Amino acid sequence: MTESTVDTIAPSVEATGAVSPRKVFWATWFGWMLDGFDSSMYAYILVAALSELLPASGIEASKANIGIYGGFLFSIFMLGWACSMVWGWAADRYGRVKIMCWTVLVYSVFTALCGLATGIVMFALFRFVAGFGIGGEWAAGTPLLQESVPENTRVRLAGWLHTATPTGLFLAAAVTLAVGSTLGWRGMFLIGILPALLIAYLRSNIPEPAHSASRERPSVKALFAGDQARTTWAAALMMACIIFGLWSSNFWAPTVIATKLVAAGATPAHAQEMGAVAGLITNVGTLIGCFLVPSITGWLGSRRRTAVLFFIGGLISVVVSYEVAIEWLNSLTLFMVLLPVLGFFTNGVFGLFTIWLPEMFPSALRGTGSGFAFSMGRVLGAAGPTLIGALAARTGSFPLAISMLSLIYVIGLPLIALAPETAGKPLAK
């Protein structure tokens, strides 16, 4: 569906000497897909990795410690993402394609280095830098796509772009199922070097978008002046809510299942496999959400109304999946059935923001503004996984802790009204 749509618009653009939208879409899509693969492997091999690294660092690999340090390492990774706001500034000044290549190189190399870590501190450092690289690709890749394709297909392609991330998560789960027990957690991280192969293609096939070729370069201070300041902070705080919500719910599903199965007497290998199955199921819902986001925004005729739908859906799906299915009913079967709904709302919402966020900023500030909003959102959202680990250790229940923190979506609802409504408007020059 996506390929045929992109192919139909390619000839007219190529005839003008511009790059084919098909090439830009798929180059950006594969970059995102591979960073989704690299970033999500940790969720599937968390228990195995920490079971080795904690004792190597003189720490008992107990259930409580795995929860605490697992959450802490999630947050370290997200703080690396948060520091990546510099990539957006660089993309505005030195080029979308050039900076995207650098982000791919950084996250590939440091994901692979995680597989060589000998202790928890070294592992945390490598996770931090890998997050720094992965976070930068959003700030460079999203403006690259939006500025390189025709206006009549921009919203659709921007929305579909986020299907790359759940595809990467899906691939990570599939690889874990297929060869995870053979490669071990170290081997899984080492194959994270593969995205670096994308760099040669990007450099040789994708030019800088003409839309951003010649423009003024205003100071970063312009993000926080006049009406733009309200937009910048509204975008950042909304991103904080959905990042907090995602990393405090969706990505804990494999760990919740693995720990529950191990406690019931299952082998660690079987528990890891079932965690990977949970990831596959969840990402089916995410993919459906991302495919439907452009249609939903068109049907509702409003970016704001679409955001409200996903925020409320995120809250309900988290509470029903974790508190009702796991905590009250103790039903892993029902939990697995609900996972696609969880993925649809908590992760599918990012498809909306690949459309909406770049529309909030003028071209000269698009990378900087998008990068700041996404990265500042990660700074605030990074507290989520650590709080989950701490609350789970205190209450003895991951599902209860996750359900408590899903209230972040309620906090986010008033922020939606502060963001500009951009539906029906062309991308700002």
Side-chain angles (χ1 to χ4, degrees):
M1 181 174 168
T2 305
E3 173 123 35
S4 62
T5 303
V6 180
D7 283 341
T8 59
I9 61 176
S12 61
V13 178
E14 287 178 329
T16 66
V19 65
S20 162
R22 174 177 56 83
K23 287 185 177 181
V24 177
F25 177 81
W26 287 114
T28 311
W29 189 92
F30 273 105
W32 274 37
M33 186 273 288
L34 292 168
D35 81 31
F37 175 84
D38 277 14
S39 64
S40 66
M41 283 192 296
Y42 174 74
Y44 303 121
I45 54 182
L46 179 155
V47 176
L50 295 189
S51 294
E52 179 178 335
L53 291 173
L54 287 177
S57 302
I59 303 168
E60 181 187 0
S62 64
K63 177 181 176 181
N65 281 340
I66 288 176
I68 292 171
Y69 283 92
F72 175 71
L73 286 165
F74 263 131
S75 294
I76 286 289
F77 179 73
M78 290 175 69
L79 284 173
W81 267 9
C83 294
S84 67
M85 64 180 71
V86 68
W87 292 113
W89 172 86
D92 280 339
R93 280 148 183 79
Y94 304 112
R96 316 295 195 208
V97 177
K98 181 184 296 184
I99 297 305
M100 187 173 171
C101 289
W102 276 104
T103 66
V104 172
L105 180 64
V106 170
Y107 80 67
S108 299
V109 170
F110 281 89
T111 296
L113 286 174
C114 287
L116 302 178
T118 57
I120 201 72
V121 174
M122 184 184 297
F123 185 75
L125 175 62
F126 292 154
R127 288 287 293 168
F128 176 86
V129 182
F132 176 68
I134 285 174
E137 191 176 5
W138 204 99
T142 306
L144 172 63
L145 176 67
Q146 294 241 17
E147 296 172 353
S148 299
V149 301
E151 182 64 33
N152 65 328
T153 57
R154 178 182 60 80
V155 171
R156 184 184 308 150
L157 296 182
W160 286 349
L161 178 61
H162 193 69
T163 63
T165 299
T167 301
L169 307 183
F170 187 94
L171 180 61
V175 171
T176 301
L177 279 173
V179 297
S181 58
T182 301
L183 294 178
W185 70 268
R186 292 186 181 276
M188 288 291 292
F189 275 119
L190 288 172
I191 63 177
I193 194 66
L194 294 179
L197 300 176
L198 180 66
I199 295 173
Y201 179 83
L202 286 170
R203 291 299 292 164
S204 60
N205 288 275
I206 308 299
E208 292 296 333
H211 190 71
S212 59
S214 59
R215 60 178 182 269
E216 296 180 1
R217 307 207 190 291
S219 167
V220 175
K221 294 179 181 179
L223 289 175
F224 309 100
D227 292 340
Q228 188 63 57
R230 172 177 166 173
T231 296
T232 299
W233 286 112
L237 293 174
M238 283 192 296
M239 294 306 301
C241 290
I242 64 174
I243 291 170
F244 187 105
L246 175 66
W247 286 81
S248 300
S249 61
N250 196 327
F251 283 99
W252 284 98
T255 302
V256 168
I257 288 176
T259 54
K260 202 165 186 65
L261 287 174
V262 169
T267 64
H270 175 66
Q272 178 176 297
E273 289 176 354
M274 290 307 297
V277 169
L280 290 172
I281 295 172
T282 305
N283 287 317
V284 169
T286 302
L287 280 169
I288 293 172
C290 293
F291 270 118
L292 292 181
V293 158
S295 298
I296 292 172
T297 58
W299 175 58
L300 293 176
S302 167
R303 309 288 191 253
R304 288 173 176 166
R305 285 195 287 270
T306 305
V308 169
L309 171 66
F310 276 91
F311 275 50
I312 294 175
L315 171 66
I316 294 173
S317 63
V318 171
V319 172
V320 173
S321 298
Y322 286 96
E323 186 64 12
V324 176
I326 292 289
E327 192 74 3
W328 294 357
L329 301 178
N330 193 30
S331 174
L332 276 179
T333 301
L334 179 58
F335 181 68
M336 299 283 272
V337 169
L338 291 170
L339 284 179
V341 181
L342 184 72
F344 182 96
F345 286 108
T346 63
N347 205 349
V349 65
F350 286 87
L352 168 64
F353 282 88
T354 58
I355 298 169
W356 195 12
L357 197 58
E359 293 175 343
M360 297 184 193
F361 302 96
S363 182
L365 287 170
R366 185 159 294 125
T368 307
S370 298
F372 173 81
F374 215 124
S375 296
M376 183 55 66
R378 292 177 186 123
V379 171
L380 301 175
T386 295
L387 287 174
I388 290 294
L391 281 173
R394 187 175 182 84
T395 64
S397 170
F398 275 111
L400 178 59
I402 292 166
S403 297
M404 290 170 62
L405 293 186
S406 68
L407 290 174
I408 191 67
Y409 290 109
V410 176
I411 296 173
L413 286 172
L415 300 171
I416 297 171
L418 298 177
E421 180 57 72
T422 59
K425 300 177 182 178
L427 189 67
K429 300 295 185 181

